mmCIF file of all heavy atoms in Angstrom:
data_model
loop_
_atom_site.group_PDB
_atom_site.id
_atom_site.type_symbol
_atom_site.label_atom_id
_atom_site.label_comp_id
_atom_site.label_asym_id
_atom_site.label_seq_id
_atom_site.Cartn_x
_atom_site.Cartn_y
_atom_site.Cartn_z
ATOM 1 N N LEU A 30 35.379 -11.075 7.351
ATOM 2 C CA LEU A 30 34.215 -10.322 6.751
ATOM 3 C C LEU A 30 34.736 -9.008 6.127
ATOM 4 O O LEU A 30 35.393 -8.247 6.905
ATOM 5 C CB LEU A 30 33.127 -10.032 7.846
ATOM 6 C CG LEU A 30 31.760 -9.683 7.330
ATOM 7 C CD1 LEU A 30 31.137 -10.781 6.586
ATOM 8 C CD2 LEU A 30 30.865 -9.304 8.511
ATOM 9 N N ASP A 89 9.866 5.501 18.849
ATOM 10 C CA ASP A 89 9.478 5.344 20.224
ATOM 11 C C ASP A 89 10.562 4.972 21.146
ATOM 12 O O ASP A 89 10.534 5.264 22.380
ATOM 13 C CB ASP A 89 8.364 4.369 20.261
ATOM 14 C CG ASP A 89 7.114 4.846 19.579
ATOM 15 O OD1 ASP A 89 6.901 6.017 19.440
ATOM 16 O OD2 ASP A 89 6.261 4.025 19.134
ATOM 17 N N LYS A 121 16.108 12.856 5.383
ATOM 18 C CA LYS A 121 14.714 13.079 5.884
ATOM 19 C C LYS A 121 13.748 12.584 4.810
ATOM 20 O O LYS A 121 13.940 12.872 3.606
ATOM 21 C CB LYS A 121 14.467 14.543 6.179
ATOM 22 C CG LYS A 121 13.177 14.833 6.778
ATOM 23 C CD LYS A 121 13.058 16.268 7.165
ATOM 24 C CE LYS A 121 11.703 16.585 7.807
ATOM 25 N NZ LYS A 121 11.576 18.002 8.184
ATOM 26 N N TYR A 152 -0.199 10.478 12.852
ATOM 27 C CA TYR A 152 1.039 10.343 11.958
ATOM 28 C C TYR A 152 0.845 9.136 11.070
ATOM 29 O O TYR A 152 1.318 9.177 9.903
ATOM 30 C CB TYR A 152 2.322 10.265 12.729
ATOM 31 C CG TYR A 152 3.382 10.947 12.048
ATOM 32 C CD1 TYR A 152 3.633 12.360 12.254
ATOM 33 C CD2 TYR A 152 4.180 10.360 11.055
ATOM 34 C CE1 TYR A 152 4.585 13.065 11.639
ATOM 35 C CE2 TYR A 152 5.175 11.060 10.374
ATOM 36 C CZ TYR A 152 5.387 12.438 10.636
ATOM 37 O OH TYR A 152 6.310 13.002 9.947
ATOM 38 N N ALA A 165 -0.351 6.847 -6.567
ATOM 39 C CA ALA A 165 -1.173 7.495 -7.590
ATOM 40 C C ALA A 165 -0.268 8.215 -8.562
ATOM 41 O O ALA A 165 -0.547 8.200 -9.825
ATOM 42 C CB ALA A 165 -2.126 8.422 -6.847
ATOM 43 N N PRO A 173 -5.046 10.736 -19.280
ATOM 44 C CA PRO A 173 -4.979 11.778 -20.338
ATOM 45 C C PRO A 173 -4.152 12.990 -19.923
ATOM 46 O O PRO A 173 -4.232 13.422 -18.826
ATOM 47 C CB PRO A 173 -6.485 12.156 -20.535
ATOM 48 C CG PRO A 173 -7.263 10.985 -20.122
ATOM 49 C CD PRO A 173 -6.415 10.383 -18.914
ATOM 50 N N LYS A 202 -0.538 20.356 -8.752
ATOM 51 C CA LYS A 202 -0.166 20.048 -10.147
ATOM 52 C C LYS A 202 -0.953 20.903 -11.162
ATOM 53 O O LYS A 202 -0.730 20.866 -12.349
ATOM 54 C CB LYS A 202 -0.480 18.610 -10.455
ATOM 55 C CG LYS A 202 0.452 17.627 -9.707
ATOM 56 C CD LYS A 202 1.916 17.760 -10.209
ATOM 57 C CE LYS A 202 2.788 16.711 -9.577
ATOM 58 N NZ LYS A 202 4.188 16.808 -10.035
ATOM 59 N N LYS A 227 -16.079 24.685 2.336
ATOM 60 C CA LYS A 227 -15.327 25.639 3.141
ATOM 61 C C LYS A 227 -13.965 25.878 2.544
ATOM 62 O O LYS A 227 -13.462 27.036 2.605
ATOM 63 C CB LYS A 227 -15.143 25.019 4.540
ATOM 64 C CG LYS A 227 -14.415 25.943 5.547
ATOM 65 C CD LYS A 227 -14.398 25.273 7.020
ATOM 66 C CE LYS A 227 -13.622 26.281 7.925
ATOM 67 N NZ LYS A 227 -13.588 25.671 9.272
ATOM 68 N N ASP A 232 -14.654 21.513 -7.553
ATOM 69 C CA ASP A 232 -14.746 20.337 -8.405
ATOM 70 C C ASP A 232 -14.672 19.028 -7.600
ATOM 71 O O ASP A 232 -14.319 17.957 -8.284
ATOM 72 C CB ASP A 232 -13.704 20.432 -9.526
ATOM 73 C CG ASP A 232 -13.921 21.586 -10.471
ATOM 74 O OD1 ASP A 232 -15.077 21.717 -11.003
ATOM 75 O OD2 ASP A 232 -13.045 22.401 -10.651
ATOM 76 N N ALA A 260 -18.423 -5.106 -2.449
ATOM 77 C CA ALA A 260 -18.410 -3.657 -2.862
ATOM 78 C C ALA A 260 -17.172 -3.376 -3.736
ATOM 79 O O ALA A 260 -17.233 -2.601 -4.646
ATOM 80 C CB ALA A 260 -18.459 -2.670 -1.656
ATOM 81 N N GLY A 315 -6.680 -12.535 -5.861
ATOM 82 C CA GLY A 315 -6.004 -13.203 -6.973
ATOM 83 C C GLY A 315 -6.986 -13.333 -8.192
ATOM 84 O O GLY A 315 -6.660 -13.053 -9.288
ATOM 85 N N LEU A 321 -9.250 -8.699 -14.145
ATOM 86 C CA LEU A 321 -8.824 -7.421 -14.745
ATOM 87 C C LEU A 321 -7.822 -7.596 -15.878
ATOM 88 O O LEU A 321 -7.911 -6.964 -16.898
ATOM 89 C CB LEU A 321 -8.231 -6.504 -13.681
ATOM 90 C CG LEU A 321 -9.222 -5.923 -12.656
ATOM 91 C CD1 LEU A 321 -8.519 -5.227 -11.545
ATOM 92 C CD2 LEU A 321 -10.208 -4.960 -13.327
ATOM 93 N N ILE A 343 -2.955 -4.832 0.919
ATOM 94 C CA ILE A 343 -2.701 -5.181 -0.417
ATOM 95 C C ILE A 343 -3.492 -4.234 -1.318
ATOM 96 O O ILE A 343 -4.689 -4.182 -1.250
ATOM 97 C CB ILE A 343 -3.007 -6.659 -0.742
ATOM 98 C CG1 ILE A 343 -2.024 -7.557 0.085
ATOM 99 C CG2 ILE A 343 -2.870 -6.963 -2.183
ATOM 100 C CD1 ILE A 343 -2.296 -9.002 -0.106
ATOM 101 N N ILE A 382 -16.975 -11.007 -8.987
ATOM 102 C CA ILE A 382 -16.323 -10.423 -10.091
ATOM 103 C C ILE A 382 -16.524 -11.171 -11.402
ATOM 104 O O ILE A 382 -16.102 -10.674 -12.475
ATOM 105 C CB ILE A 382 -14.717 -10.448 -9.751
ATOM 106 C CG1 ILE A 382 -13.941 -9.501 -10.613
ATOM 107 C CG2 ILE A 382 -14.174 -11.815 -9.872
ATOM 108 C CD1 ILE A 382 -14.298 -8.031 -10.359
ATOM 109 N N ALA A 389 -11.779 -4.685 -21.927
ATOM 110 C CA ALA A 389 -11.550 -3.281 -21.896
ATOM 111 C C ALA A 389 -10.855 -2.829 -23.238
ATOM 112 O O ALA A 389 -10.043 -3.592 -23.760
ATOM 113 C CB ALA A 389 -10.633 -2.825 -20.701
#
Side-chain angles (χ1 to χ4, degrees):
L30 196 64
D89 294 334
K121 185 176 180 180
Y152 217 90
K202 292 294 186 180
K227 183 176 181 180
D232 294 307
L321 288 171
I343 293 179
I382 199 66

